[in-house]
Amino acid sequence: MIIRQTIIRHGRRIATPRRLPCIRSFASEVDIEAIEASLDRSLKETHSIESLLQNESSEPVPPIEDTTHTTLDYRKDQVAEDFHSIRRQRTLTSRLGTSITPHYTPQALLAAPPAPSEISLPLLLASQSHLGHSTSLWNPLNSRYIFGIRSGIHIISLDITAAHLRRACRVVSGVTERGGLVLFVGTRKGQDRCVVNAAKWAGGCHLFERWTPGSITNGHQILGRCRMQVVDEFDRPIPGLENQLRERPVLKPDLVVCLNPLENWVMLHECGLHGIPTVGIIDTDANPTWVTYPIPANDDSLRCVQLVAGVLGKAGEEGLRRRREKAKRGEVTYQPEKFELKPQEGEMKTGGDEQAIHHAGGSG
């Protein structure tokens, strides 16, 4: 009886249809902008978590694509995997190490050597110009250039080195300003580049191989077939005078710069016989009387040799610049030679038979 009443009571309630309120029957509008803003915030949070995991985890975490919000499987592409690995290593090691400035760059003395006015004692000291040889190998004639002895090695006075280097710069600059030819010689290993650059700046010649004995004393036989040319005050070649140069003697340098006098003493002896002035780097074991203008310095240091050659080359460049500036004003700083200019075919000869041509050097 109790069960029947319960079923009848609850059955009426179940059979009666349930009415919803009017408010719930109407559909509400969806806020699309709020949803997009929430998605952007979640995407930014995802990228930040991804970068944090990349820095902290031992294995790289695959990135998440912005459009599909799925992880990119870049392991299928070996190039992409290597790229992400390198980028991660750079991120981890970017804060390691130190930056040392300023530091020594070996190519700086070859490409841009200092000017003669920039010669200083710290520069010579950094180039190891003060280091000489053992006291048992010294030449007594170098006693005026020696500052003292340290650990059995003679120390060269940098004050004297700077003074002699400035004097040699004035000599090289004066020779090139007056149209002279400067020969740079350096036959040791590693001296070829600085010798070539110095000769290019000074407008002269260079030699970085073995000196042929007799090139000056017997130059007509050894260098007789070398080509010479006549140039004007602006160093421009003048054609049509090759036949007149055949009977002329071989061209000789007006100044010789020797970077290793010990190996080229034959060349220095030939220059002394013909009265050609010389400039050389004199170490504590060399004879300073072999050269006209000695530069007491360390000839075994390649950095010191590059410094001396570069400074002398820049000095010659300054002399060339002054000579060409004077030539633009119509001033000639040297005595020109006379050559007979023959008229070209179809032209009539109206002037004299000889004309002064500015002879500034040659090539062989």
Side-chain angles (χ1 to χ4, degrees):
M1 190 68 183
I2 298 174
I3 298 174
R4 287 181 180 177
Q5 292 178 359
T6 304
I7 293 174
I8 294 172
R9 190 181 304 170
H10 289 283
R12 294 174 182 176
R13 188 179 300 177
I14 295 171
T16 304
R18 188 178 182 183
R19 296 180 180 180
L20 296 176
C22 296
I23 301 175
R24 294 184 180 179
S25 62
F26 296 102
S28 60
E29 297 180 358
V30 180
D31 193 356
I32 300 177
E33 296 180 356
I35 296 176
E36 291 180 352
S38 63
L39 288 177
D40 292 338
R41 287 194 299 270
S42 62
L43 187 61
K44 291 180 181 179
E45 293 177 358
T46 304
H47 285 309
S48 63
I49 295 173
E50 177 188 347
S51 61
L52 181 61
L53 292 176
Q54 288 283 3
N55 296 332
E56 299 297 336
S57 63
S58 58
E59 296 183 359
V61 178
I64 297 177
E65 191 176 1
D66 297 339
T67 57
T68 61
H69 301 283
T70 58
T71 58
L72 295 176
D73 190 8
Y74 62 87
R75 297 179 183 272
K76 297 180 181 179
D77 191 357
Q78 186 66 27
V79 177
E81 182 179 356
D82 295 341
F83 170 74
H84 286 285
S85 177
I86 293 174
R87 188 176 65 176
R88 178 176 172 275
Q89 291 295 332
R90 288 179 180 177
T91 305
L92 294 177
T93 60
S94 59
R95 300 179 182 179
L96 301 178
T98 57
S99 58
I100 303 176
T101 55
H103 57 279
Y104 168 63
T105 53
Q107 66 275 10
L109 291 176
L110 293 173
S117 59
E118 299 176 356
I119 299 174
S120 60
L121 298 186
L123 180 62
L124 296 175
L125 182 65
S127 302
Q128 302 175 357
S129 305
H130 61 291
L131 298 178
H133 283 274
S134 177
T135 56
S136 60
L137 301 176
W138 81 305
N139 192 315
L141 296 177
N142 290 321
S143 59
R144 51 185 173 177
Y145 306 140
I146 295 176
F147 177 77
I149 300 175
R150 182 67 180 269
S151 300
I153 297 176
H154 278 125
I155 305 299
I156 302 173
S157 177
L158 294 181
D159 293 329
I160 300 177
T161 301
H164 284 67
L165 183 57
R166 294 189 184 99
R167 182 184 65 172
C169 290
R170 290 194 296 268
V171 172
V172 175
S173 179
V175 171
T176 56
E177 184 179 1
R178 289 167 177 80
L181 181 64
V182 183
L183 173 62
F184 290 85
V185 180
T187 57
R188 287 185 182 177
K189 184 179 180 180
Q191 296 180 356
D192 49 355
R193 295 181 61 185
C194 61
V195 167
V196 172
N197 291 338
K200 179 179 65 176
W201 290 323
C205 303
H206 62 268
L207 174 67
F208 52 84
E209 295 180 353
R210 177 179 175 270
W211 171 265
T212 304
S215 297
I216 296 178
T217 56
N218 195 19
H220 184 71
Q221 296 294 332
I222 298 177
L223 304 176
R225 295 186 178 181
C226 293
R227 185 177 61 89
M228 291 191 299
Q229 64 180 0
V230 181
V231 296
D232 57 4
E233 62 272 16
F234 297 101
D235 294 336
R236 296 174 300 189
I238 301 176
L241 300 175
E242 290 78 7
N243 296 330
Q244 302 183 35
L245 295 175
R246 295 177 181 176
E247 303 299 331
R248 289 182 172 269
V250 179
L251 189 66
K252 298 178 183 179
D254 299 291
L255 179 67
V256 176
V257 178
C258 184
L259 303 180
N260 53 333
L262 291 178
E263 290 83 357
N264 297 291
W265 62 272
V266 177
M267 179 198 64
L268 298 176
H269 179 67
E270 294 182 13
C271 292
L273 294 177
H274 287 261
I276 300 175
T278 55
V279 177
I281 300 178
I282 299 298
D283 210 334
T284 56
D285 61 340
N287 190 351
T289 60
W290 286 357
V291 296
T292 311
Y293 303 99
I295 302 176
N298 184 11
D299 62 348
D300 297 319
S301 174
L302 184 59
R303 185 174 178 181
C304 175
V305 172
Q306 291 177 354
L307 174 64
V308 173
V311 170
L312 295 179
K314 286 297 182 179
E317 187 179 22
E318 291 181 2
L320 280 177
R321 179 180 53 80
R322 290 196 299 266
R323 177 166 62 85
R324 290 170 181 173
E325 289 178 357
K326 293 180 180 179
K328 292 179 181 179
R329 298 193 299 266
E331 301 177 9
V332 181
T333 58
Y334 55 92
Q335 183 65 31
E337 297 186 9
K338 292 184 179 181
F339 289 89
E340 182 180 355
L341 288 178
K342 296 182 180 180
Q344 301 292 336
E345 296 181 359
E347 296 181 359
M348 297 184 62
K349 189 174 182 180
T350 58
D353 295 341
E354 294 183 351
Q355 181 178 354
I357 301 297
H358 305 294
H359 179 68
S363 62

